Amino acid sequence: MKEYSEEYLDHIKDIISQNDEATARKELAELHPADIAELYKDLDLDEAEYLYKLLDEETAADVLMELDEDDRLKLIEHMPAAEIAKQIDHLDTDDAVDLIQQLDEDERDEILSHIDDVEQAGDIIDLLKYDEDTAGGLMGTEMIVVNENWSMPECIKQMRLQAEDMDEIYNVYVVGNDDKLKGVLPLKELITHPSVSKIKHVMESDPVSVKADTPIDEVALDFEKYDLVAMPVVDSIGRLLGRITVDDVMDKVREASERDFQLASGISSDVDTDDSVFAQTKARIPWLLIGICSGILASIILGGFENQLHAVTALALFIPIIGGTGGNVGVQASAIVVQSLANGTLELKEFAHQIGKEVLVGLLNATIISLVMFGYNLIFLPGNMAVTLSVAVSLFVVVMFATILGSVVPLTLEKLHINPALATGPFIQISNDIVGLLIYVWVATGFLKIFGG
Amino acid sequence: MKEYSEEYLDHIKDIISQNDEATARKELAELHPADIAELYKDLDLDEAEYLYKLLDEETAADVLMELDEDDRLKLIEHMPAAEIAKQIDHLDTDDAVDLIQQLDEDERDEILSHIDDVEQAGDIIDLLKYDEDTAGGLMGTEMIVVNENWSMPECIKQMRLQAEDMDEIYNVYVVGNDDKLKGVLPLKELITHPSVSKIKHVMESDPVSVKADTPIDEVALDFEKYDLVAMPVVDSIGRLLGRITVDDVMDKVREASERDFQLASGISSDVDTDDSVFAQTKARIPWLLIGICSGILASIILGGFENQLHAVTALALFIPIIGGTGGNVGVQASAIVVQSLANGTLELKEFAHQIGKEVLVGLLNATIISLVMFGYNLIFLPGNMAVTLSVAVSLFVVVMFATILGSVVPLTLEKLHINPALATGPFIQISNDIVGLLIYVWVATGFLKIFGG
């Protein structure tokens, strides 16, 4: 959209170096807070701080929330607690909680003590109690709430008061006298039924809501399923606590899918191309070293088989195909399970059914692959029946084993509440490498005995 | 949320088998269309059709849109064109286009000729012209549009008329007399400024908008960046054409990340655990067969090296570690590039910079890994300097090569407008396997000559 050019960046850097506050303010006024945050990434810290000080409090608060967590921490590091508190005053409670959660306990308390609006400070303290990965951890308390027995004019009057502090309104929540959520008032009713005597006659009753302790994954699936832009959060007896907005859910969906993709690729912490060489190496070396250990293990397994390898060197030629195929099969099987668990297609209660299905898929794949290799070796490795049979039979067993392991491991992890994506990547690849070799060594030893290797 | 139990499913199946229409209608009335669609997945086609006929037209249309594409096609296959047209009357134009796009040309024309609302039919025909993967292909024409020169009471009167046919309103778009988009009117202004004389005084000017030919990926990034729930779509001179809603964008974000994950896992078409054994095998066997071909290629390469393997069998023990490490390194490097391209962190103009950075990461990883393996073999394979050096040097070269290939390939694919995720999976794994072996064979041949193997 508002993609800026190298020239624009140079222009901004010039303005800063010339200390031209007036022009800087004018340029900033034309940018959306999200664009200012993007600009910051390409500036040095002192340049960013210079611009930041020129922003009005509300924009400054918005920019702060648009920054990456690391950049945000850098920017507020030198800010006095009173100033951070002022910015928090301009934030929705859910954003305020995100910001405060990054700080350590002492800093939190100091900042909270500086917030003038006691009600907001109280809300933030309440919200901090919820687990980050639940609906409660994602909700904010800014919302418009009306009573089901009010008339529309009464509602509009109340809404006018409540709307003052709010950036945007997407839904109006309707509660009973007991504070329990009764319905949602679509804004179009304001326009189409301006004089109804009781809100409950035009509200949508029984709205989709979540309990505060619902895991975020489930919340996201509900947003997608019911096409929501906001969802009310209730306590265990149905009293309205807050609301979750779709933008926060979208961020979480992207984060979760990125995390799965990274886990599946053997990257152990959240990095992208912006991170330093050192941070990237640190995120990538652990699985590589685990891979080296498994390679050493493979060499030990093959070492026990060295006499046979020496006698029938042709056996060595098929070492790569055994491990490679096992790895590929396992990654496919686990990726399908991980994805289906993530998008709600597969549920844990279908565990046995899923394994049964995978066994059939495995049988089909194993048969095709073994026959192909058997045919190839029959033609191109004539007279070497021990090797030909060893490779074909090993491939069959390896594909079956890898298919089953590829589905059992992520399902088991899900059952243990561990992210199943952990199973999709190097883990499954490495286990299949090792097991594949063991199977090959064992099968080949058998055939060599039969055919007299 | 409204997760239903096995008992509930049996209960519904009983009602259907007893042909108890009254109870069935009562049960359906309590369900959200998305829940009815979910229920259909667990019913036979004739059971689903039975329930479907009991729905009122509007709910039926909503249910249709909530179904998977396959299930939707099955359900409308036996429906007369006139009936499908009636349902389309109840859909937003963007959903109608999604549905019609699934059908072949003859069916499309017949259905369109049955739509009573000429304006809607015209809008659908216009929308069908846009590429599915652009903003135009995702937009609908249902929106509230007011003129910047109207007063608020005039606006509210107009909005009341326009809102009649709409399910939900999130934004009101403001245009000038030339139909160009001038601003967005947040709904809170309706409440807080009920009597302003000209809308343009309270609208938000210069709203984030997108041209109709913008690719969907960019649209999604803008939604996330600016935290939008809806975005106006304009033509090349800024005239308002339609709007995109966040629910459609979320679906696309999930689809795109699932597609990337599947490509990266060597699954060639979109399947999940619900699909048949045959469909799953079909999606999985292509990359497995490519893997087998590469395994055969590996055996040919090693075949040319058979004399050396026979002379120094210890060389065979390290075949798995070479290919495995190359694969792991390549997958990591490409995953980071693919993900950073997808979330907007990395841009093509940073091609050279990114490769330079990866070379440094590769150097660090390669040094650590080679030293570890060198140390291990020095201790546990004493007196076999040719093998020890061959493994360490090969690993160093393989890691460097795999790191660079892992970043160059996805960046090149992106440049060629091919999905870079294609590079993250078996492709990179297989190329690194083969190249790794070639490097190992070549390096080992050299060291054997030096040390006299």
Side-chain angles (χ1 to χ4, degrees), chain A residues 1-3 32 34-35 38 66 156 159-160 163-164 166-167 169-170 187-188 190-191 194 206 209 221-222 224-227 229 246-247 249-250 253-254 257-258 261-262 264-267 271-275 277 280-281 284-285 288 292 295-296 298-300 302-303 306 309-310 313-314 316-321 325 328-329 331-333 335-336 338-340 342-343 345-347 354 357-358 360-361 364-365 368-369 373 376 403 429 437, chain B residues 1-3 32 34-35 38 66 156 159-160 163-164 166-167 169-170 187-188 190-191 194 206 209 221-222 224-227 229 246-247 249-250 253-254 257-258 261-262 264-267 271-275 277 280-281 284-285 288 292 295-296 298-300 302-303 306 309-310 313-314 316-321 325 328-329 331-333 335-336 338-340 342-343 345-347 354 357-358 360-361 364-365 368-369 373 376 403 429 437:
Chain A
M1 274 289 314
K2 311 215 170 177
E3 204 75 2
H32 187 284
D35 290 310
E38 209 165 271
E66 297 288 346
I156 292 179
M159 287 166 68
R160 201 167 290 158
E164 283 291 303
M166 256 175 259
D167 291 341
I169 312 167
Y170 297 114
L187 286 169
K188 83 174 245 204
L190 289 183
I191 307 170
D206 195 19
S209 66
L221 288 177
D222 277 345
E224 290 177 55
K225 181 171 164 189
Y226 299 111
D227 294 340
V229 296
V246 68
D247 53 319
V249 173
M250 261 183 104
V253 167
R254 187 176 284 273
S257 76
E258 293 199 345
F261 196 26
Q262 297 204 321
S265 311
I267 299 162
V271 287
D272 54 37
T273 49
D274 265 4
D275 288 300
V277 168
Q280 293 215 31
T281 307
R284 283 149 79 164
I285 199 79
L288 296 181
I292 292 295
I296 290 175
S299 75
I300 294 171
L302 290 173
E306 212 172 337
L309 282 177
H310 186 72
T313 322
L317 313 187
F318 299 96
I319 292 173
I321 210 171
T325 306
N328 289 342
V329 167
V331 167
Q332 287 182 338
I336 288 181
V338 166
Q339 192 151 72
S340 298
N343 68 23
T345 312
L346 181 65
E347 286 165 53
Q354 174 58 19
K357 201 164 177 179
E358 279 295 310
L360 292 178
V361 176
L364 261 173
N365 282 334
I368 295 171
I369 285 172
M373 259 332 268
Y376 174 85
T403 307
Q429 199 113 30
L437 273 184
Chain B
M1 276 288 315
K2 312 214 170 176
E3 205 75 1
H32 188 284
D35 290 310
E38 208 165 271
E66 297 288 346
I156 292 178
M159 287 166 67
R160 202 167 290 157
E164 284 289 304
M166 256 175 260
D167 290 342
I169 312 168
Y170 296 114
L187 285 170
K188 85 175 244 204
L190 288 184
I191 306 169
D206 195 19
S209 67
L221 288 177
D222 277 345
E224 291 177 56
K225 182 171 163 188
Y226 299 111
D227 293 342
V229 296
V246 68
D247 53 319
V249 173
M250 261 183 104
V253 168
R254 186 174 285 272
S257 76
E258 293 199 344
F261 195 25
Q262 296 205 322
S265 311
I267 300 164
V271 287
D272 54 37
T273 49
D274 265 4
D275 287 301
V277 168
Q280 293 215 33
T281 308
R284 283 149 79 164
I285 198 80
L288 295 182
I292 292 295
I296 289 176
S299 75
I300 294 171
L302 290 174
E306 212 172 338
L309 281 178
H310 185 72
T313 322
L317 313 187
F318 300 96
I319 293 174
I321 209 171
T325 305
N328 288 343
V329 166
V331 167
Q332 288 181 338
I336 288 180
V338 166
Q339 191 151 74
S340 298
N343 68 22
T345 313
L346 181 65
E347 285 165 55
Q354 174 58 19
K357 201 163 177 182
E358 279 295 310
L360 293 178
V361 176
L364 261 174
N365 282 334
I368 296 171
I369 285 173
M373 258 333 268
Y376 174 85
T403 308
Q429 198 113 28
L437 273 184

Side-chain angles (χ1 to χ4, degrees), chain B residues 134-302:
Chain B
T134 63
L138 206 60
M139 75 181 175
T141 53
E142 287 76 12
M143 54 188 170
I144 296 203
V145 184
V146 295
N147 189 293
E148 59 176 342
N149 298 311
W150 293 352
S151 68
M152 188 63 88
E154 248 180 298
C155 272
I156 292 178
K157 210 175 103 192
Q158 268 298 322
M159 287 166 67
R160 202 167 290 157
L161 287 174
Q162 297 180 29
E164 284 289 304
D165 305 332
M166 256 175 260
D167 290 342
E168 296 194 82
I169 312 168
Y170 296 114
N171 269 316
V172 175
Y173 297 113
V174 185
V175 296
N177 294 327
D178 51 4
D179 285 341
K180 286 190 188 168
L181 178 69
K182 291 295 160 75
V184 170
L185 183 67
L187 285 170
K188 85 175 244 204
E189 302 298 337
L190 288 184
I191 306 169
T192 50
H193 294 95
S195 54
V196 75
S197 67
K198 280 194 176 177
I199 288 299
K200 65 174 155 193
H201 300 144
V202 293
M203 72 180 187
E204 281 171 11
S205 335
D206 195 19
V208 178
S209 67
V210 68
K211 292 220 174 82
D213 59 358
T214 310
I216 282 183
D217 307 355
E218 283 177 38
V219 176
L221 288 177
D222 277 345
F223 262 85
E224 291 177 56
K225 182 171 163 188
Y226 299 111
D227 293 342
L228 304 172
V229 296
M231 178 153 43
V233 182
V234 296
D235 67 11
S236 54
I237 59 166
R239 284 175 304 187
L240 183 63
L241 295 173
R243 53 83 194 128
I244 296 173
T245 53
V246 68
D247 53 319
D248 293 330
V249 173
M250 261 183 104
D251 290 348
K252 291 288 172 186
V253 168
R254 186 174 285 272
E255 269 172 37
S257 76
E258 293 199 344
R259 195 183 47 218
D260 285 359
F261 195 25
Q262 296 205 322
L263 280 177
S265 311
I267 300 164
S268 57
S269 64
D270 184 23
V271 287
D272 54 37
T273 49
D274 265 4
D275 287 301
S276 71
V277 168
F278 180 70
Q280 293 215 33
T281 308
K282 211 176 125 197
R284 283 149 79 164
I285 198 80
W287 270 113
L288 295 182
L289 288 177
I290 294 173
I292 292 295
C293 292
S294 92
I296 289 176
L297 194 56
S299 75
I300 294 171
I301 293 171
L302 290 174

Side-chain angles (χ1 to χ4, degrees), chain A residues 192-367:
Chain A
T192 49
H193 294 98
S195 54
V196 74
S197 67
K198 280 195 175 175
I199 288 298
K200 66 174 154 192
H201 300 145
V202 293
M203 73 181 186
E204 281 172 11
S205 335
D206 195 19
V208 178
S209 66
V210 280
K211 294 222 172 78
D213 58 358
T214 310
I216 282 183
D217 306 354
E218 282 177 38
V219 175
L221 288 177
D222 277 345
F223 262 85
E224 290 177 55
K225 181 171 164 189
Y226 299 111
D227 294 340
L228 303 172
V229 296
M231 178 149 48
V233 182
V234 296
D235 67 10
S236 54
I237 58 165
R239 284 176 304 187
L240 183 63
L241 295 174
R243 54 85 195 125
I244 296 173
T245 53
V246 68
D247 53 319
D248 293 332
V249 173
M250 261 183 104
D251 290 348
K252 291 288 172 186
V253 167
R254 187 176 284 273
E255 269 172 39
S257 76
E258 293 199 345
R259 194 184 50 218
D260 285 358
F261 196 26
Q262 297 204 321
L263 280 177
S265 311
I267 299 162
S268 57
S269 63
D270 184 24
V271 287
D272 54 37
T273 49
D274 265 4
D275 288 300
S276 72
V277 168
F278 180 71
Q280 293 215 31
T281 307
K282 211 176 124 196
R284 283 149 79 164
I285 199 79
W287 270 113
L288 296 181
L289 288 177
I290 294 173
I292 292 295
C293 293
S294 92
I296 290 175
L297 194 55
S299 75
I300 294 171
I301 293 171
L302 290 173
F305 190 60
E306 212 172 337
N307 290 336
Q308 290 94 322
L309 282 177
H310 186 72
V312 190
T313 322
L315 281 170
L317 313 187
F318 299 96
I319 292 173
I321 210 171
I322 303 287
T325 306
N328 289 342
V329 167
V331 167
Q332 287 182 338
S334 55
I336 288 181
V337 169
V338 166
Q339 192 151 72
S340 298
L341 284 171
N343 68 23
T345 312
L346 181 65
E347 286 165 53
L348 269 182
K349 63 181 182 200
E350 301 168 283
F351 200 125
H353 173 79
Q354 174 58 19
I355 304 297
K357 201 164 177 179
E358 279 295 310
V359 168
L360 292 178
V361 176
L363 273 174
L364 261 173
N365 282 334
T367 308

